[in-house]
Amino acid sequence: MHINAVQKTLNAILTGLKVSLTDPGINVRLDVRMELALKLEQIRMLLADSAIDRQLSLDRKETLLKETKELSEIILLNELADRIFIYRGLRKDVQFTRQTKGLEMRGETYVIDIVTDMREMIGQLDFVPLHQDLFDNASSHGALTKREASLRLNRIVPDHVISPVNFDIVEERLAVVPVTSAPDPQNRSIAAAARDALIEQGGRVLENLRISNCDRRLLEAFERLQDKLTHEQDIVQVGVLNISCENLAASFKDELPTAVEALVRGHSAAVTLFVAQFQAWRDFSEQALLVDLSPVDIADVKSTALSIAARFEGDRERIDESVPRTIRYLASLITDPATTAKRTGYALLTSLENLVARLFSFAAEFLGDTAKQATKKLSTWTARAVVAFVASTVVAAGLELGPVFSRFQATRWVQNAVEILQKVELPVD
């Protein structure tokens, strides 16, 4: 079995294991949850690196087997072996067999059994290059054909990045697209009631802030938070905006009447409890803890974001104004990199990653066999226009972000994606 044939299945299993083992609701210490999350991320990155290289070396295969064994030991040591595996990205009603390059996933399964089966699957992986026929059209001078470039991009570009903002191609323009988050099924009624109460309470907060003569920035922050709560926007946006509100409220607390300051503080605390009912926010928060963002990193991410926003503002024909405006707003939440909350810096980092991931996915669609599907979105674009968009926007954004993204394991794929597009032979007629 080749690594690229089963990578998506293995990634889906890793996602399910993360949900099953690192959920804040389980009765296990925070340090153990973090150890499990880190181990799962190490395994995921080893698989991703192998897919990028188009082969699984013997050393990397042995490392994967070692890491999965250590994962089993952590699970057993902390008495989590009997925890039920939560299916994310794998359908319970479909049977996967090793003959079809997957796993048997039927009924309830314990996490320890899943890890054991995953280790057996890794043990069966070949450590030889992908068959040459995938690259039979490659040029002799090292350039990549459209088909080869598309295959390589599809292997390394993440399907989804948890971030406050999502992007897509809408009516032939890159735009911000809204996403509605759902709470955990068992908490839906509680979350709905809590949202209603928060909207009502948020209205009182705004009324008091408007008559308090507070700093305009504080009022605008709470107005934006109220808008997101009212329209049920992406819960990660709500959580990040709430952190910004907390920080601003702390900065201006001496300017607020005592009663108003208490009302503001209580509202932010209630929003914190509310967003905790959503798996997306918990995943985002835990991933933020795993990324070692220094004040220098945060400052560089902000600077790069503003540079990309300025570049995008000059291309109104292909990029909706909501894109640079949103990037600038997220960057504005970082007032002082030395004191900025880590999750605020991480919010900007992941939003930028989501942006370039969508752009590179779009490039892969156009270059590969799925171009017919992409053409439906691009009915009036000429091939030359699409190539210009790919070259000027995708590569330029990737080059801007490359130096910053190369510092973090999870975002190093961007540099590889840039190199792929720089080598591809693109027709312009």
Side-chain angles (χ1 to χ4, degrees), residues 168-231:
D168 202 356
I169 306 299
V170 180
E171 296 182 353
E172 302 177 359
R173 301 174 78 199
L174 179 67
V176 175
V177 292
V179 176
T180 301
S181 302
D184 297 339
Q186 67 273 21
N187 296 331
R188 282 177 183 166
S189 59
I190 296 174
R195 186 188 293 272
D196 291 341
L198 286 172
I199 292 171
E200 181 181 348
Q201 180 174 269
R204 292 198 302 272
V205 169
L206 291 176
E207 288 176 7
N208 281 272
L209 287 176
R210 289 185 181 115
I211 63 176
S212 70
N213 198 30
C214 69
D215 189 286
R216 183 69 187 175
R217 289 170 291 179
L218 181 60
L219 176 59
E220 289 175 350
F222 274 94
E223 285 176 338
R224 186 174 284 265
L225 176 62
Q226 181 75 351
D227 178 68
K228 298 300 180 185
L229 283 169
T230 303
H231 294 94

Short mmCIF file of all heavy atoms in Angstrom, two decimals, residues 168-231:
data_model
loop_
_atom_site.label_atom_id
_atom_site.label_comp_id
_atom_site.label_asym_id
_atom_site.label_seq_id
_atom_site.Cartn_x
_atom_site.Cartn_y
_atom_site.Cartn_z
N ASP A 168 -13.55 31.80 -0.25
CA ASP A 168 -13.89 30.97 -1.39
C ASP A 168 -13.97 31.85 -2.64
O ASP A 168 -13.97 33.09 -2.54
CB ASP A 168 -15.22 30.24 -1.18
CG ASP A 168 -15.34 28.99 -2.05
OD1 ASP A 168 -14.43 28.75 -2.87
OD2 ASP A 168 -16.34 28.27 -1.93
N ILE A 169 -14.04 31.20 -3.80
CA ILE A 169 -14.23 31.92 -5.06
C ILE A 169 -15.72 32.06 -5.28
O ILE A 169 -16.44 31.08 -5.45
CB ILE A 169 -13.58 31.15 -6.23
CG1 ILE A 169 -12.11 30.85 -5.95
CG2 ILE A 169 -13.74 31.96 -7.52
CD1 ILE A 169 -11.25 32.06 -5.74
N VAL A 170 -16.22 33.28 -5.24
CA VAL A 170 -17.65 33.58 -5.40
C VAL A 170 -17.82 34.53 -6.58
O VAL A 170 -17.28 35.64 -6.57
CB VAL A 170 -18.22 34.21 -4.12
CG1 VAL A 170 -19.71 34.51 -4.31
CG2 VAL A 170 -18.00 33.31 -2.92
N GLU A 171 -18.56 34.07 -7.59
CA GLU A 171 -18.79 34.86 -8.79
C GLU A 171 -17.48 35.41 -9.34
O GLU A 171 -17.33 36.59 -9.65
CB GLU A 171 -19.77 36.01 -8.50
CG GLU A 171 -21.16 35.51 -8.11
CD GLU A 171 -22.14 36.64 -7.86
OE1 GLU A 171 -21.70 37.81 -7.87
OE2 GLU A 171 -23.33 36.36 -7.67
N GLU A 172 -16.51 34.47 -9.46
CA GLU A 172 -15.22 34.75 -10.08
C GLU A 172 -14.35 35.73 -9.30
O GLU A 172 -13.42 36.34 -9.84
CB GLU A 172 -15.41 35.24 -11.52
CG GLU A 172 -16.18 34.24 -12.38
CD GLU A 172 -16.44 34.73 -13.78
OE1 GLU A 172 -16.06 35.87 -14.09
OE2 GLU A 172 -17.03 33.98 -14.56
N ARG A 173 -14.64 35.88 -8.01
CA ARG A 173 -13.82 36.75 -7.17
C ARG A 173 -13.55 36.03 -5.84
O ARG A 173 -14.40 35.31 -5.33
CB ARG A 173 -14.52 38.07 -6.89
CG ARG A 173 -14.85 38.88 -8.13
CD ARG A 173 -15.68 40.10 -7.75
NE ARG A 173 -14.87 41.16 -7.20
CZ ARG A 173 -15.36 42.17 -6.47
NH1 ARG A 173 -16.64 42.19 -6.17
NH2 ARG A 173 -14.57 43.12 -6.03
N LEU A 174 -12.35 36.26 -5.30
CA LEU A 174 -12.04 35.75 -3.98
C LEU A 174 -12.81 36.57 -2.96
O LEU A 174 -12.78 37.81 -3.00
CB LEU A 174 -10.53 35.86 -3.72
CG LEU A 174 -10.05 35.39 -2.35
CD1 LEU A 174 -10.23 33.89 -2.19
CD2 LEU A 174 -8.58 35.77 -2.13
N ALA A 175 -13.53 35.90 -2.05
CA ALA A 175 -14.37 36.62 -1.09
C ALA A 175 -14.39 35.91 0.25
O ALA A 175 -14.03 34.73 0.36
CB ALA A 175 -15.80 36.76 -1.63
N VAL A 176 -14.79 36.63 1.27
CA VAL A 176 -15.02 36.05 2.60
C VAL A 176 -16.39 35.38 2.57
O VAL A 176 -17.37 35.97 2.09
CB VAL A 176 -14.97 37.13 3.70
CG1 VAL A 176 -15.33 36.54 5.05
CG2 VAL A 176 -13.60 37.77 3.75
N VAL A 177 -16.47 34.16 3.08
CA VAL A 177 -17.76 33.45 3.13
C VAL A 177 -18.12 33.13 4.58
O VAL A 177 -17.26 32.74 5.37
CB VAL A 177 -17.72 32.15 2.29
CG1 VAL A 177 -17.59 32.47 0.82
CG2 VAL A 177 -16.57 31.25 2.72
N PRO A 178 -19.37 33.35 4.96
CA PRO A 178 -19.78 33.07 6.35
C PRO A 178 -19.88 31.58 6.62
O PRO A 178 -20.17 30.79 5.73
CB PRO A 178 -21.15 33.74 6.44
CG PRO A 178 -21.67 33.72 5.03
CD PRO A 178 -20.46 33.89 4.15
N VAL A 179 -19.63 31.22 7.85
CA VAL A 179 -19.76 29.83 8.29
C VAL A 179 -20.51 29.82 9.61
O VAL A 179 -20.19 30.57 10.53
CB VAL A 179 -18.38 29.17 8.50
CG1 VAL A 179 -18.53 27.76 9.06
CG2 VAL A 179 -17.61 29.11 7.18
N THR A 180 -21.53 28.98 9.69
CA THR A 180 -22.30 28.85 10.93
C THR A 180 -21.85 27.62 11.68
O THR A 180 -21.80 26.53 11.13
CB THR A 180 -23.81 28.74 10.63
OG1 THR A 180 -24.23 29.91 9.91
CG2 THR A 180 -24.61 28.64 11.92
N SER A 181 -21.48 27.81 12.95
CA SER A 181 -21.00 26.69 13.76
C SER A 181 -22.15 26.09 14.57
O SER A 181 -23.06 26.80 15.00
CB SER A 181 -19.91 27.17 14.72
OG SER A 181 -18.84 27.75 14.02
N ALA A 182 -22.07 24.78 14.78
CA ALA A 182 -23.09 24.08 15.57
C ALA A 182 -22.48 23.63 16.89
O ALA A 182 -21.33 23.17 16.92
CB ALA A 182 -23.61 22.87 14.81
N PRO A 183 -23.20 23.77 17.99
CA PRO A 183 -22.69 23.29 19.28
C PRO A 183 -22.72 21.78 19.33
O PRO A 183 -23.27 21.12 18.44
CB PRO A 183 -23.66 23.91 20.29
CG PRO A 183 -24.95 24.04 19.53
CD PRO A 183 -24.54 24.36 18.11
N ASP A 184 -22.14 21.22 20.37
CA ASP A 184 -22.21 19.77 20.56
C ASP A 184 -23.68 19.36 20.63
O ASP A 184 -24.51 20.08 21.21
CB ASP A 184 -21.51 19.37 21.86
CG ASP A 184 -20.02 19.71 21.81
OD1 ASP A 184 -19.49 19.86 20.70
OD2 ASP A 184 -19.41 19.82 22.89
N PRO A 185 -24.04 18.22 20.02
CA PRO A 185 -25.46 17.82 19.96
C PRO A 185 -26.16 17.83 21.31
O PRO A 185 -27.31 18.26 21.42
CB PRO A 185 -25.37 16.39 19.39
CG PRO A 185 -24.13 16.39 18.58
CD PRO A 185 -23.17 17.27 19.32
N GLN A 186 -25.47 17.37 22.36
CA GLN A 186 -26.10 17.30 23.68
C GLN A 186 -26.29 18.68 24.31
O GLN A 186 -27.01 18.82 25.30
CB GLN A 186 -25.28 16.40 24.62
CG GLN A 186 -23.91 16.95 25.00
CD GLN A 186 -22.83 16.58 24.02
OE1 GLN A 186 -23.12 16.26 22.88
NE2 GLN A 186 -21.58 16.59 24.46
N ASN A 187 -25.65 19.71 23.72
CA ASN A 187 -25.73 21.05 24.31
C ASN A 187 -26.51 22.04 23.45
O ASN A 187 -26.48 23.24 23.71
CB ASN A 187 -24.31 21.60 24.53
CG ASN A 187 -23.52 20.78 25.54
OD1 ASN A 187 -24.08 20.19 26.44
ND2 ASN A 187 -22.20 20.75 25.37
N ARG A 188 -27.20 21.55 22.42
CA ARG A 188 -27.84 22.48 21.48
C ARG A 188 -28.89 23.36 22.15
O ARG A 188 -28.94 24.57 21.92
CB ARG A 188 -28.47 21.68 20.33
CG ARG A 188 -27.46 21.23 19.30
CD ARG A 188 -28.07 20.39 18.21
NE ARG A 188 -27.04 19.91 17.28
CZ ARG A 188 -27.22 18.95 16.40
NH1 ARG A 188 -28.41 18.39 16.29
NH2 ARG A 188 -26.23 18.58 15.61
N SER A 189 -29.76 22.78 22.95
CA SER A 189 -30.81 23.57 23.59
C SER A 189 -30.22 24.56 24.59
O SER A 189 -30.66 25.72 24.67
CB SER A 189 -31.82 22.66 24.29
OG SER A 189 -31.19 21.86 25.27
N ILE A 190 -29.19 24.12 25.30
CA ILE A 190 -28.53 25.00 26.27
C ILE A 190 -27.85 26.15 25.55
O ILE A 190 -27.95 27.32 25.95
CB ILE A 190 -27.49 24.21 27.09
CG1 ILE A 190 -28.18 23.12 27.92
CG2 ILE A 190 -26.68 25.14 27.99
CD1 ILE A 190 -27.21 22.21 28.65
N ALA A 191 -27.16 25.84 24.44
CA ALA A 191 -26.46 26.87 23.68
C ALA A 191 -27.43 27.87 23.08
O ALA A 191 -27.15 29.08 23.06
CB ALA A 191 -25.61 26.22 22.58
N ALA A 192 -28.57 27.39 22.59
CA ALA A 192 -29.56 28.30 22.00
C ALA A 192 -30.10 29.26 23.05
O ALA A 192 -30.23 30.47 22.80
CB ALA A 192 -30.70 27.49 21.38
N ALA A 193 -30.40 28.73 24.24
CA ALA A 193 -30.89 29.58 25.32
C ALA A 193 -29.82 30.57 25.77
O ALA A 193 -30.11 31.74 26.05
CB ALA A 193 -31.34 28.72 26.50
N ALA A 194 -28.58 30.08 25.83
CA ALA A 194 -27.48 30.95 26.24
C ALA A 194 -27.26 32.07 25.24
O ALA A 194 -27.01 33.23 25.61
CB ALA A 194 -26.20 30.13 26.39
N ARG A 195 -27.36 31.75 23.94
CA ARG A 195 -27.18 32.79 22.92
C ARG A 195 -28.25 33.88 23.07
O ARG A 195 -27.94 35.08 23.00
CB ARG A 195 -27.26 32.18 21.52
CG ARG A 195 -26.94 33.17 20.41
CD ARG A 195 -27.22 32.58 19.03
NE ARG A 195 -26.33 31.50 18.72
CZ ARG A 195 -25.14 31.64 18.15
NH1 ARG A 195 -24.71 32.86 17.86
NH2 ARG A 195 -24.40 30.59 17.86
N ASP A 196 -29.50 33.47 23.26
CA ASP A 196 -30.58 34.45 23.44
C ASP A 196 -30.30 35.36 24.63
O ASP A 196 -30.48 36.58 24.56
CB ASP A 196 -31.91 33.74 23.63
CG ASP A 196 -32.39 33.05 22.35
OD1 ASP A 196 -31.89 33.39 21.27
OD2 ASP A 196 -33.24 32.13 22.46
N ALA A 197 -29.86 34.75 25.73
CA ALA A 197 -29.56 35.53 26.94
C ALA A 197 -28.38 36.47 26.71
O ALA A 197 -28.39 37.63 27.18
CB ALA A 197 -29.26 34.58 28.10
N LEU A 198 -27.38 36.00 25.97
CA LEU A 198 -26.21 36.84 25.70
C LEU A 198 -26.56 38.02 24.79
O LEU A 198 -26.04 39.12 24.97
CB LEU A 198 -25.10 36.00 25.05
CG LEU A 198 -24.35 35.04 25.97
CD1 LEU A 198 -23.42 34.15 25.16
CD2 LEU A 198 -23.55 35.82 27.02
N ILE A 199 -27.44 37.78 23.83
CA ILE A 199 -27.86 38.87 22.94
C ILE A 199 -28.59 39.94 23.74
O ILE A 199 -28.36 41.15 23.57
CB ILE A 199 -28.75 38.33 21.80
CG1 ILE A 199 -27.91 37.45 20.86
CG2 ILE A 199 -29.41 39.47 21.03
CD1 ILE A 199 -28.72 36.71 19.83
N GLU A 200 -29.47 39.49 24.63
CA GLU A 200 -30.20 40.45 25.48
C GLU A 200 -29.23 41.20 26.39
O GLU A 200 -29.30 42.43 26.53
CB GLU A 200 -31.24 39.70 26.31
CG GLU A 200 -32.06 40.62 27.21
CD GLU A 200 -33.08 39.84 28.04
OE1 GLU A 200 -33.29 38.65 27.76
OE2 GLU A 200 -33.63 40.45 28.99
N GLN A 201 -28.32 40.46 27.00
CA GLN A 201 -27.36 41.08 27.90
C GLN A 201 -26.41 42.00 27.13
O GLN A 201 -26.04 43.08 27.62
CB GLN A 201 -26.55 40.00 28.62
CG GLN A 201 -25.51 40.53 29.60
CD GLN A 201 -24.85 39.42 30.37
OE1 GLN A 201 -25.30 39.06 31.45
NE2 GLN A 201 -23.77 38.87 29.83
N GLY A 202 -26.02 41.58 25.91
CA GLY A 202 -25.15 42.41 25.08
C GLY A 202 -25.80 43.74 24.74
O GLY A 202 -25.11 44.77 24.65
N GLY A 203 -27.12 43.74 24.55
CA GLY A 203 -27.84 44.99 24.29
C GLY A 203 -27.71 45.95 25.46
O GLY A 203 -27.51 47.16 25.26
N ARG A 204 -27.81 45.42 26.68
CA ARG A 204 -27.67 46.27 27.88
C ARG A 204 -26.25 46.81 27.99
O ARG A 204 -26.03 47.96 28.38
CB ARG A 204 -28.04 45.48 29.13
CG ARG A 204 -29.51 45.11 29.22
CD ARG A 204 -29.91 44.74 30.64
NE ARG A 204 -29.12 43.63 31.15
CZ ARG A 204 -29.45 42.34 30.99
NH1 ARG A 204 -30.53 42.03 30.28
NH2 ARG A 204 -28.71 41.38 31.50
N VAL A 205 -25.26 45.96 27.65
CA VAL A 205 -23.86 46.39 27.69
C VAL A 205 -23.67 47.57 26.75
O VAL A 205 -23.05 48.59 27.11
CB VAL A 205 -22.92 45.23 27.31
CG1 VAL A 205 -21.50 45.75 27.09
CG2 VAL A 205 -22.91 44.17 28.40
N LEU A 206 -24.19 47.45 25.52
CA LEU A 206 -24.02 48.53 24.54
C LEU A 206 -24.72 49.81 24.99
O LEU A 206 -24.17 50.92 24.81
CB LEU A 206 -24.57 48.08 23.18
CG LEU A 206 -23.77 46.97 22.47
CD1 LEU A 206 -24.45 46.56 21.18
CD2 LEU A 206 -22.35 47.44 22.18
N GLU A 207 -25.90 49.69 25.56
CA GLU A 207 -26.61 50.88 26.04
C GLU A 207 -25.80 51.62 27.09
O GLU A 207 -25.67 52.85 27.06
CB GLU A 207 -27.96 50.47 26.65
CG GLU A 207 -29.00 50.04 25.62
CD GLU A 207 -30.28 49.55 26.28
OE1 GLU A 207 -30.40 49.70 27.53
OE2 GLU A 207 -31.15 49.03 25.57
N ASN A 208 -25.22 50.85 28.02
CA ASN A 208 -24.42 51.46 29.09
C ASN A 208 -23.11 52.04 28.56
O ASN A 208 -22.66 53.10 29.04
CB ASN A 208 -24.13 50.44 30.18
CG ASN A 208 -25.31 50.22 31.11
OD1 ASN A 208 -25.46 50.92 32.11
ND2 ASN A 208 -26.15 49.25 30.79
N LEU A 209 -22.50 51.38 27.59
CA LEU A 209 -21.25 51.90 27.04
C LEU A 209 -21.50 53.20 26.27
O LEU A 209 -20.67 54.12 26.31
CB LEU A 209 -20.60 50.87 26.11
CG LEU A 209 -19.97 49.65 26.78
CD1 LEU A 209 -19.44 48.67 25.74
CD2 LEU A 209 -18.83 50.06 27.73
N ARG A 210 -22.63 53.29 25.58
CA ARG A 210 -22.92 54.49 24.78
C ARG A 210 -23.12 55.73 25.64
O ARG A 210 -22.83 56.84 25.21
CB ARG A 210 -24.16 54.24 23.91
CG ARG A 210 -23.90 53.25 22.76
CD ARG A 210 -25.09 53.11 21.85
NE ARG A 210 -24.82 52.14 20.78
CZ ARG A 210 -25.46 50.99 20.64
NH1 ARG A 210 -26.46 50.67 21.46
NH2 ARG A 210 -25.15 50.16 19.65
N ILE A 211 -23.63 55.54 26.86
CA ILE A 211 -23.86 56.70 27.73
C ILE A 211 -22.72 56.91 28.72
O ILE A 211 -22.77 57.83 29.54
CB ILE A 211 -25.19 56.54 28.51
CG1 ILE A 211 -25.14 55.33 29.44
CG2 ILE A 211 -26.37 56.45 27.55
CD1 ILE A 211 -26.37 55.18 30.32
N SER A 212 -21.68 56.06 28.63
CA SER A 212 -20.57 56.17 29.59
C SER A 212 -19.43 57.03 29.09
O SER A 212 -18.46 57.26 29.81
CB SER A 212 -20.02 54.77 29.90
OG SER A 212 -19.35 54.24 28.76
N ASN A 213 -19.52 57.48 27.83
CA ASN A 213 -18.44 58.27 27.24
C ASN A 213 -17.11 57.50 27.22
O ASN A 213 -16.04 58.06 27.42
CB ASN A 213 -18.25 59.59 28.01
CG ASN A 213 -17.47 60.61 27.19
OD1 ASN A 213 -17.54 60.60 25.96
ND2 ASN A 213 -16.72 61.47 27.86
N CYS A 214 -17.22 56.18 26.98
CA CYS A 214 -16.02 55.34 26.96
C CYS A 214 -15.27 55.52 25.65
O CYS A 214 -15.77 56.16 24.71
CB CYS A 214 -16.40 53.87 27.13
SG CYS A 214 -17.27 53.17 25.71
N ASP A 215 -14.09 54.97 25.57
CA ASP A 215 -13.29 55.02 24.35
C ASP A 215 -14.07 54.36 23.22
O ASP A 215 -14.66 53.29 23.38
CB ASP A 215 -11.96 54.29 24.58
CG ASP A 215 -10.99 54.49 23.42
OD1 ASP A 215 -11.22 53.88 22.36
OD2 ASP A 215 -10.02 55.24 23.59
N ARG A 216 -14.05 54.99 22.06
CA ARG A 216 -14.82 54.50 20.91
C ARG A 216 -14.42 53.09 20.51
O ARG A 216 -15.25 52.29 20.06
CB ARG A 216 -14.61 55.46 19.73
CG ARG A 216 -15.41 55.10 18.49
CD ARG A 216 -16.89 55.33 18.72
NE ARG A 216 -17.67 54.83 17.62
CZ ARG A 216 -19.01 54.81 17.60
NH1 ARG A 216 -19.68 55.24 18.66
NH2 ARG A 216 -19.66 54.35 16.57
N ARG A 217 -13.14 52.74 20.67
CA ARG A 217 -12.66 51.41 20.28
C ARG A 217 -13.34 50.31 21.10
O ARG A 217 -13.63 49.22 20.58
CB ARG A 217 -11.14 51.33 20.44
CG ARG A 217 -10.37 52.13 19.41
CD ARG A 217 -8.91 52.21 19.75
NE ARG A 217 -8.69 53.04 20.94
CZ ARG A 217 -7.50 53.27 21.49
NH1 ARG A 217 -6.42 52.71 20.96
NH2 ARG A 217 -7.38 54.05 22.55
N LEU A 218 -13.59 50.59 22.38
CA LEU A 218 -14.25 49.59 23.23
C LEU A 218 -15.69 49.38 22.77
O LEU A 218 -16.16 48.23 22.67
CB LEU A 218 -14.22 50.05 24.69
CG LEU A 218 -14.85 49.10 25.71
CD1 LEU A 218 -14.16 47.75 25.73
CD2 LEU A 218 -14.83 49.74 27.11
N LEU A 219 -16.39 50.46 22.48
CA LEU A 219 -17.78 50.36 22.02
C LEU A 219 -17.84 49.61 20.69
O LEU A 219 -18.70 48.72 20.52
CB LEU A 219 -18.38 51.76 21.87
CG LEU A 219 -19.80 51.82 21.29
CD1 LEU A 219 -20.78 51.05 22.17
CD2 LEU A 219 -20.24 53.28 21.14
N GLU A 220 -16.96 49.93 19.77
CA GLU A 220 -16.97 49.26 18.46
C GLU A 220 -16.68 47.77 18.59
O GLU A 220 -17.26 46.95 17.86
CB GLU A 220 -15.93 49.91 17.54
CG GLU A 220 -16.33 51.32 17.09
CD GLU A 220 -15.24 51.99 16.28
OE1 GLU A 220 -14.10 51.44 16.24
OE2 GLU A 220 -15.50 53.06 15.69
N ALA A 221 -15.81 47.40 19.51
CA ALA A 221 -15.49 45.98 19.71
C ALA A 221 -16.71 45.21 20.20
O ALA A 221 -17.01 44.12 19.70
CB ALA A 221 -14.34 45.83 20.71
N PHE A 222 -17.44 45.79 21.15
CA PHE A 222 -18.62 45.10 21.66
C PHE A 222 -19.77 45.13 20.65
O PHE A 222 -20.60 44.22 20.63
CB PHE A 222 -19.05 45.71 23.00
CG PHE A 222 -18.33 45.11 24.18
CD1 PHE A 222 -17.19 45.70 24.68
CD2 PHE A 222 -18.78 43.94 24.76
CE1 PHE A 222 -16.51 45.15 25.76
CE2 PHE A 222 -18.12 43.36 25.83
CZ PHE A 222 -16.97 43.97 26.34
N GLU A 223 -19.83 46.15 19.82
CA GLU A 223 -20.84 46.17 18.76
C GLU A 223 -20.59 45.04 17.76
O GLU A 223 -21.53 44.37 17.32
CB GLU A 223 -20.81 47.52 18.03
CG GLU A 223 -21.43 48.66 18.81
CD GLU A 223 -21.31 50.00 18.12
OE1 GLU A 223 -20.40 50.14 17.25
OE2 GLU A 223 -22.09 50.91 18.44
N ARG A 224 -19.33 44.83 17.42
CA ARG A 224 -19.00 43.74 16.49
C ARG A 224 -19.29 42.39 17.12
O ARG A 224 -19.81 41.48 16.45
CB ARG A 224 -17.54 43.84 16.06
CG ARG A 224 -17.15 42.84 14.99
CD ARG A 224 -15.74 43.10 14.52
NE ARG A 224 -15.65 44.24 13.64
CZ ARG A 224 -15.69 44.16 12.32
NH1 ARG A 224 -15.83 42.99 11.72
NH2 ARG A 224 -15.58 45.23 11.57
N LEU A 225 -18.97 42.23 18.39
CA LEU A 225 -19.26 40.98 19.09
C LEU A 225 -20.76 40.72 19.11
O LEU A 225 -21.23 39.59 18.86
CB LEU A 225 -18.71 41.04 20.51
CG LEU A 225 -19.02 39.84 21.42
CD1 LEU A 225 -18.41 38.55 20.87
CD2 LEU A 225 -18.51 40.10 22.84
N GLN A 226 -21.55 41.76 19.38
CA GLN A 226 -23.00 41.62 19.41
C GLN A 226 -23.54 41.22 18.05
O GLN A 226 -24.45 40.37 17.93
CB GLN A 226 -23.64 42.94 19.85
CG GLN A 226 -25.16 42.93 19.95
CD GLN A 226 -25.66 42.20 21.19
OE1 GLN A 226 -24.89 41.56 21.90
NE2 GLN A 226 -26.95 42.29 21.44
N ASP A 227 -22.96 41.79 16.99
CA ASP A 227 -23.40 41.46 15.63
C ASP A 227 -23.15 39.99 15.32
O ASP A 227 -24.01 39.31 14.74
CB ASP A 227 -22.66 42.34 14.63
CG ASP A 227 -23.04 42.02 13.19
OD1 ASP A 227 -24.19 42.28 12.80
OD2 ASP A 227 -22.18 41.48 12.47
N LYS A 228 -21.98 39.47 15.70
CA LYS A 228 -21.66 38.07 15.44
C LYS A 228 -22.56 37.13 16.23
O LYS A 228 -22.99 36.08 15.73
CB LYS A 228 -20.19 37.78 15.78
CG LYS A 228 -19.19 38.56 14.97
CD LYS A 228 -19.32 38.28 13.48
CE LYS A 228 -18.31 39.07 12.68
NZ LYS A 228 -18.50 38.92 11.22
N LEU A 229 -22.86 37.48 17.47
CA LEU A 229 -23.77 36.66 18.28
C LEU A 229 -25.17 36.65 17.68
O LEU A 229 -25.83 35.61 17.61
CB LEU A 229 -23.82 37.19 19.71
CG LEU A 229 -22.65 36.86 20.63
CD1 LEU A 229 -22.73 37.68 21.91
CD2 LEU A 229 -22.62 35.37 20.97
N THR A 230 -25.62 37.80 17.22
CA THR A 230 -26.97 37.93 16.68
C THR A 230 -27.16 37.13 15.40
O THR A 230 -28.19 36.50 15.19
CB THR A 230 -27.31 39.41 16.43
OG1 THR A 230 -27.15 40.14 17.64
CG2 THR A 230 -28.73 39.56 15.92
N HIS A 231 -26.14 37.13 14.55
CA HIS A 231 -26.26 36.48 13.25
C HIS A 231 -25.67 35.07 13.23
O HIS A 231 -25.51 34.49 12.16
CB HIS A 231 -25.59 37.35 12.18
CG HIS A 231 -26.28 38.65 11.96
ND1 HIS A 231 -25.91 39.82 12.60
CD2 HIS A 231 -27.35 38.98 11.20
CE1 HIS A 231 -26.71 40.80 12.24
NE2 HIS A 231 -27.59 40.33 11.39
#
